[in-house]
Amino acid sequence: MELGARAFADLGDYRDILGAWLTQDNVSAWIAEPDGERRGFTVIGFFGGDDNVADLLAIAVEPAWQSRGLGRQLLDHSVAVAAATARAGRLRELRLCVADDNFIGQRMYRTGGFHRVVGEFGAYPGGQRAVRMVYPLLTQP
Ligand SMILES: CC(C)(COP(=O)(O)OP(=O)(O)OC[C@H]1O[C@@H](n2cnc3c(N)ncnc32)[C@H](O)[C@@H]1OP(=O)(O)O)[C@@H](O)C(=O)NCCC(=O)NCCS
């Protein structure tokens, strides 16, 4: 929660946002502890409904641990979890929103197999536009 609040301070009050997500049964979080301490996390929401999509809600890595591969590991784990869920059910894509000025995040997602969706996806409380990116899980209907 502390790391999330700091990592996303420009976007809004993520202490409250993460807190609200993490109380939901259909939201899961994984924490990276490369040296036994909590250095990063990923959060996925499985909201279901007609869309059959999972939402990658947040990934963050402690600043001192960034650019050392932890974000990539968390992203790969998120995709693996979503892909396993897709094989067990009808999940068709893992999607996310990232701020339009977050070029490092967008690059990580793009090189991780996500592609950008054209459209209007709203804005963060901090004023940044939301960019939608998706990772297709099932290619067959
Ligand atoms: C985005 C974030 C999670 C990346 O974590 P990380 O541990 O630093 O990332 P990694 O070292 O695993 O690198 C993963 C990819 O991120 C990108 N990246 C990481 N550091 C970068 C840098 N200094 N400059 C440019 N791209 C960078 C690259 O695409 C990299 O993959 P590549 O080296 O194969 O090209 C981290 O910077 C962070 O916590 N940022 C604040 C929160 C945030 O923006 N989260 C994402 C939006 S939800």
Side-chain angles (χ1 to χ4, degrees), residues 49-53 85-93 138:
D50 294 337
D51 281 350
N52 296 314
V53 298
T85 308
R87 283 193 293 275
R90 295 196 308 125
L91 197 60
R92 79 179 154 79
E93 71 183 28
L138 295 179

Side-chain angles (χ1 to χ4, degrees), residues 44-112:
I44 304 179
F46 297 92
F47 297 119
D50 294 337
D51 281 350
N52 296 314
V53 298
D55 286 87
L56 179 45
L57 298 171
I59 290 185
V61 172
E62 191 72 51
W65 282 76
Q66 288 179 5
S67 299
R68 294 162 67 172
L70 216 49
R72 174 73 63 204
Q73 284 181 40
L74 287 161
L75 181 60
D76 288 349
H77 183 74
S78 305
V79 169
V81 167
T85 308
R87 283 193 293 275
R90 295 196 308 125
L91 197 60
R92 79 179 154 79
E93 71 183 28
L94 179 62
R95 69 183 181 184
L96 59 84
C97 280
V98 56
D100 59 356
D101 62 357
N102 186 347
F103 301 112
I104 289 181
Q106 288 177 40
R107 179 182 154 90
M108 177 178 73
Y109 295 131
R110 193 170 57 248
T111 57

